Amino acid sequence: MSHQRYPSHDPIKEPHSVSVKVLRLSRACLVPQYPTASPLSTGPLPASLSYQTPHASNPDPFLLSPILNLPVSFGSAYVGETFSCTLCANNDVAPDSTKSESKSKSIRDVRIDAEMKTPGPGAAHKLDLGSSNEGTDLAPGATLQRLVNFDLKEEGNHVLAVTVSYYEATDTSGRTRTFRKLYQFICKASLIVRTKVGALKGSTTEEEEEEGEGGGRRWVLEAQLENCSEDVMQLDRVVMEVLDGLAYEDCNWEVGGGGGGGGGGGQKPVLHPGEVEQVCFVVRETEKGAAASASASASASASASAADGKITFGVLGIGWRGGMGNRGFLSTGQLGTSGSGMSRLGS
């Protein structure tokens, strides 16, 4: 994450007594190991049998070792993840400084504020630093830390703006000083979602007629989910949030669904970078939706609106977990169909 200095709000040209550091919080990952078999002629080599010796911490010949490794750099940020970082305001007056210097200057009422500017239009988002974000006095060499979390929902450049204010007191006077730093990073796409909608012939099934849920049209919504990140992800849930007057059946691995249907209950798929998973839903009109679309006086808020021959279904919500259990979630834009034939829509 690159940072850019910003002019202080106060006209004082002296160096600040407080500095700020921003560190991204990331989960550690398991370190892979690649042991090699020893040559048969020369006997075992200790360097190649680190996981097979009785004193090894991992006696099983498995690819992942029990050693955890922290990221050595900022890494990549992806849409759907929660960006977490710690903000540290440091009193740069060293504890072992001369007695005259430490007594002549004290740092009081230190405050940290942060906001995130996203690529979309509008003002920056004020970040919540918790109810404990009050002025704090810092002794020489002490540090004030605050944690921030922000859900990444857009691709492109994000700018984290950190503002630090404090009161610098001396034996004879005092002054309030403020400075601001900008930290920029790029958020990439984690999933590419491609959708296709087709109409189903026939209005209802016999089961729907017996339950009184028939009377409407049906469509098949297919979606391809491509992992375009650099990490392995396991799809946790893929559900639809349909508008009023519509219902759906889940034809995938997940049991249950908001539309009254259930999937196959199979194992949740794991997507490596570049891999694609196909999901499918059957969307249908309920009696309420069919009546609303057939009525010429249906209001514009009707969910199964057939204005200009277009029908809006709702949005697709996708949740996943990373290799170390970190969660991710994103939702598409409004999906629908032109009302006749087949249409392709992209999120």
Side-chain angles (χ1 to χ4, degrees), residues 8-343:
S8 301
H9 296 318
D10 55 346
I12 305 173
K13 300 301 182 181
E14 299 177 10
H16 282 276
S17 302
V18 176
S19 63
V20 63
K21 298 292 183 182
V22 178
L23 302 175
R24 184 184 182 186
L25 301 179
S26 302
R27 291 175 181 261
C29 60
L30 293 173
V31 178
Q33 60 182 1
Y34 305 97
T36 59
S38 59
L40 298 178
S41 58
T42 60
L45 298 178
S48 65
L49 302 176
S50 59
Y51 72 98
Q52 295 179 356
T53 59
H55 305 288
S57 58
N58 185 22
D60 297 327
F62 190 64
L63 177 63
L64 296 177
S65 71
I67 302 175
L68 290 176
N69 186 28
L70 292 173
V72 297
S73 61
F74 176 82
S76 300
Y78 295 101
V79 175
E81 297 179 343
T82 298
F83 175 80
S84 301
C85 65
T86 176
L87 312 178
C88 304
N90 309 306
N91 185 350
D92 289 340
V93 178
D96 57 350
S97 59
T98 61
K99 183 178 296 186
S100 60
E101 181 183 355
S102 60
K103 284 188 175 182
S104 62
K105 183 184 296 184
S106 61
I107 304 301
R108 306 173 184 172
D109 196 23
V110 181
R111 299 174 184 268
I112 305 176
D113 295 296
E115 57 185 14
M116 183 74 74
K117 182 66 178 69
T118 58
H125 302 271
K126 183 74 173 180
L127 300 183
D128 183 16
L129 300 182
S131 57
S132 61
N133 188 27
E134 301 176 355
T136 304
D137 298 343
L138 290 183
T143 299
L144 172 65
Q145 293 189 0
R146 293 289 183 262
L147 298 179
V148 295
N149 298 287
F150 183 77
D151 294 332
L152 301 175
K153 300 179 180 179
E154 302 177 74
E155 297 181 49
N157 291 331
H158 287 63
V159 178
L160 173 65
V162 181
T163 303
V164 178
S165 61
Y166 61 96
Y167 184 78
E168 187 180 71
T170 61
D171 295 338
T172 58
S173 63
R175 57 186 178 181
T176 299
R177 305 192 65 183
T178 303
F179 66 92
R180 180 182 175 96
K181 280 190 175 182
L182 305 180
Y183 299 84
Q184 179 178 339
F185 64 94
I186 298 178
C187 183
K188 305 177 183 179
S190 53
L191 279 174
I192 297 178
V193 183
R194 304 178 181 90
T195 60
K196 182 176 66 175
V197 179
L200 275 178
K201 294 183 179 180
S203 58
T204 59
T205 64
E206 294 180 359
E207 294 180 356
E208 291 172 346
E209 290 178 355
E210 293 177 359
E211 297 175 359
E213 297 180 355
R217 295 164 290 179
R218 295 190 301 166
W219 303 267
V220 174
L221 173 63
E222 301 176 72
Q224 285 185 346
L225 314 178
E226 179 181 351
N227 180 6
C228 57
S229 69
E230 301 173 356
D231 303 321
V232 179
M233 63 174 61
Q234 181 184 46
L235 295 180
D236 191 49
R237 58 192 297 262
V238 181
V239 296
M240 287 199 67
E241 298 178 7
V242 293
L243 299 179
D244 203 19
L246 294 172
Y248 75 92
E249 297 177 9
D250 188 350
C251 305
N252 308 298
W253 66 89
E254 190 172 21
V255 178
Q267 186 177 3
K268 297 177 181 179
V270 175
L271 296 181
H272 291 265
E275 291 186 343
V276 176
E277 177 70 17
Q278 183 114 357
V279 296
C280 179
F281 300 91
V282 176
V283 183
R284 69 175 186 273
E285 277 183 324
T286 61
E287 288 185 342
K288 177 182 176 182
S293 61
S295 175
S297 60
S299 63
S301 62
S303 60
S305 172
D308 299 330
K310 296 182 179 180
I311 299 175
T312 301
F313 297 153
V315 300
L316 191 65
I318 307 166
W320 67 88
R321 286 183 178 269
M324 297 303 293
N326 47 308
R327 292 180 177 272
F329 182 82
L330 61 83
S331 59
T332 66
Q334 293 290 339
L335 303 176
T337 179
S338 60
S340 60
M342 183 178 296
S343 60

